[in-house]
Amino acid sequence: MSQSKTALHPKTIETVKATAPILEARGEEITTHFYKRMFERNPELLNVFNQTNQKKGRQPQALANSVLAAAKNIDQLENILPVVKQIAHKHRSLQIKPEQYPIVGENLLAAMKEVLGDAATDDVLSAWEEAYGVIADVFISVEQKMYEEAAQQSGGWDGFRAFTVDKKVPESDVITSFYLRPRDGGSLPSFEPGQYITVKAEIPGEEFLHLRQYSLSDAPNKDYFRISVKREEGSDLLPEGIVSHYLHRSVNEGDVLELTAPAGDFYLQPSDRPVVLISGGVGLTPLMSMFNTLVDENRRPVTFIQAAQSSAHHAMHAATAKAAGECDNVSYHVCYDVVTEEDNADPYIQKQGRIDKEWLASLLPKEEADYYFCGPFPFLQAVNQMLKNDFNISEERMHFEFFGPAADLETN
Ligand SMILES: Cc1cc2nc3c(=O)[nH]c(=O)nc-3n(C[C@H](O)[C@H](O)[C@H](O)COP(=O)(O)OP(=O)(O)OC[C@H]3O[C@@H](n4cnc5c(N)ncnc54)[C@H](O)[C@@H]3O)c2cc1C
Ligand code: HEM
């Protein structure tokens, strides 16, 4: 990181920083054009990038935000190290390699020129070329370390490893768990509760591969990995989810899935403070891994708050309720959009509707606690806003995960 301070000429730094406002205004236009351009010239990358995220515009937005953050911090890239690490985890999980950086660099520079026209002078472009080289080197060196760690840890591996589906267990009408064991019979690495793996789906009839992340939904140090996948329904206007449907419909016990080693920076941090876990829908998966770990440790008080559409959609309720019943340290609270008469008899199903300030006030611990939350984007926004503004929880106590490219919870 410190290399960035010396590697760039002050004039280059000045030029790059001076372009931050134009990038702020036209960043997404540039990155949208960049992707179009890159996929035309390097169609093999369609095997790597999530095309649904492209269609939804979320990937160009994530790249534009990170390029902008880099421009603003070009003389002190260590300021954006946490963001670099988060992206690097995703890159490592997707097996992005150093030789691919020049492809992105060339297309990004060309896209700047083509979108900005005369505003992208030769000076601006050569300053950015230099800056991109420094930024790319930072990513490459952070990722290099992550590749080494993933391969060298006990039970670890490099690249994709074949796993056999040992058990396929429906957890609700829409969520199914897959218990996966290495086909080579070797051991598994430990992982941090909350981390995810990438699945490579080679789907008959699909032109390209599809890579998707799934959180490990059980505690580490078992002889299997478990992922729990929600079947993403389509509508008259939208297609059904490609990989989740493939997994639900076509992948059965005995079939093989290829996975990269666990990655991600959303995980249970060591501490003695109480823990609050808050999930929306299938966002419960990384929190289940944390929950099962905390229950095994039986040390820290745990409050688990889950929101789901209904009991038919809600996964792993019986197992969570059982653990809560057996463990004095655990309190468990559920709300559904739709509550049935049968639900009313269940002591853990305590509210109809969404998580709100009043309900949270009755559930949250009085002591300082660590908060972990995961769910759809509007859920993350709402929980983030309530914890921060209504309960004055500091940012360092709040941890959350996006089930897609990261975005700014405050401004979107
Ligand atoms: C770190 C991480 C962890 C994750 N963990 C889990 C997990 O534990 N369990 C889990 O189920 N998922 C998890 N996900 C999400 C998962 O990776 C997939 O995104 C999810 O399964 C959907 O993939 P798909 O291929 O089925 O759907 P896609 O084909 O990617 O489609 C997704 C949705 O987009 C809609 N869509 C398609 N085209 C468009 C369009 N043009 N415009 C607007 N919408 C469109 C589809 O209808 C569908 O609802 C995680 C994601 C991340 C990043
Ligand atoms: C310095 C250069 C780069 C920057 C700043 C950058 C930035 C980003 C960002 C911000 C994300 C979103 C992270 C998230 O999911 O939250 C991302 C994801 C990703 N990046 Fe990069 N990246 C760079 C280089 C590359 C290269 C060289 C490749 C490979 C050709 C690549 C491939 C990907 C892929 C495949 C994803 C996931 C996309 C998705 O899920 O849709 N990136 N990157």
Side-chain angles (χ1 to χ4, degrees), residues 120-376:
T121 61
D122 287 350
D123 277 357
V124 166
L125 291 175
S126 69
W128 263 98
E129 191 176 350
E130 246 187 275
Y132 177 81
V134 171
I135 297 167
D137 282 350
V138 171
F139 274 91
I140 290 168
S141 73
V142 171
E143 285 160 20
Q144 170 74 20
K145 244 193 225 126
M146 290 179 175
Y147 279 109
E148 283 165 14
E149 276 167 22
Q152 286 164 11
Q153 67 174 317
S154 167
W157 72 96
D158 191 23
F160 285 88
R161 183 176 181 189
F163 280 69
T164 307
V165 178
D166 190 39
K167 271 194 298 176
K168 181 177 176 184
V169 179
E171 304 280 7
S172 76
D173 285 3
V174 290
I175 298 177
T176 290
S177 284
F178 296 80
Y179 288 72
L180 307 166
R181 291 175 194 270
R183 199 173 55 168
D184 57 25
S187 62
L188 283 173
S190 188
F191 60 87
E192 298 291 347
Q195 288 193 305
Y196 57 82
I197 50 83
T198 289
V199 170
K200 185 203 289 183
E202 212 170 333
I203 306 176
E206 286 281 329
E207 191 179 356
F208 296 102
L209 296 173
H210 294 282
L211 305 181
R212 294 288 186 275
Q213 287 72 47
Y214 292 101
S215 307
L216 292 162
S217 64
D218 204 349
N221 305 318
K222 314 256 181 214
D223 58 0
Y224 57 83
F225 277 172
R226 184 178 73 179
I227 58 171
S228 306
V229 179
K230 180 183 170 213
R231 197 178 59 234
E232 295 292 344
E233 299 299 351
S235 66
D236 289 348
L237 299 174
L238 293 173
E240 59 190 24
I242 300 170
V243 176
S244 59
H245 266 264
Y246 167 70
L247 291 171
H248 274 251
R249 198 179 282 147
S250 308
V251 174
N252 294 307
E253 290 174 5
D255 288 345
V256 170
L257 287 175
E258 291 197 45
L259 320 183
T260 57
D265 64 348
F266 173 69
Y267 55 79
L268 198 57
Q269 303 292 326
S271 134
D272 292 327
R273 283 181 289 272
V275 183
V276 179
L277 310 171
I278 310 177
S279 70
V282 73
L284 93 174
T285 53
L287 305 185
M288 282 308 301
S289 178
M290 297 183 191
F291 179 75
N292 290 347
T293 305
L294 290 160
V295 167
D296 286 348
E297 286 173 4
N298 196 15
R299 200 170 49 83
R300 301 167 67 181
V302 182
T303 305
F304 201 168
I305 302 167
Q306 299 189 0
Q309 265 172 272
S310 70
S311 47
H313 291 79
H314 191 193
M316 301 171 194
H317 174 55
T320 316
K322 182 167 179 288
E326 288 169 0
C327 192
D328 291 344
N329 273 342
V330 172
S331 75
Y332 175 43
H333 315 272
V334 175
C335 67
Y336 293 149
D337 291 338
V338 180
V339 172
T340 62
E341 234 167 78
E342 209 179 305
D343 296 336
N344 281 326
D346 184 323
Y348 296 106
I349 302 168
Q350 296 164 358
K351 179 177 161 58
Q352 174 151 20
R354 302 277 160 101
I355 294 172
D356 57 29
K357 188 167 100 179
E358 289 68 33
W359 194 46
L360 274 187
S362 71
L363 305 178
L364 297 186
K366 302 284 169 277
E367 313 89 304
E368 191 181 13
D370 294 320
Y371 293 81
Y372 296 85
F373 50 106
C374 184

Side-chain angles (χ1 to χ4, degrees), residues 49-50 53 59 62-63 66 87 90-91 94 96 100 104 405-406:
F49 282 86
N50 180 330
N53 289 344
Q59 185 54 38
L63 185 73
S66 69
I87 300 167
K90 188 70 77 67
H91 282 166
L94 288 158
I96 304 306
Q100 291 171 317
V104 166

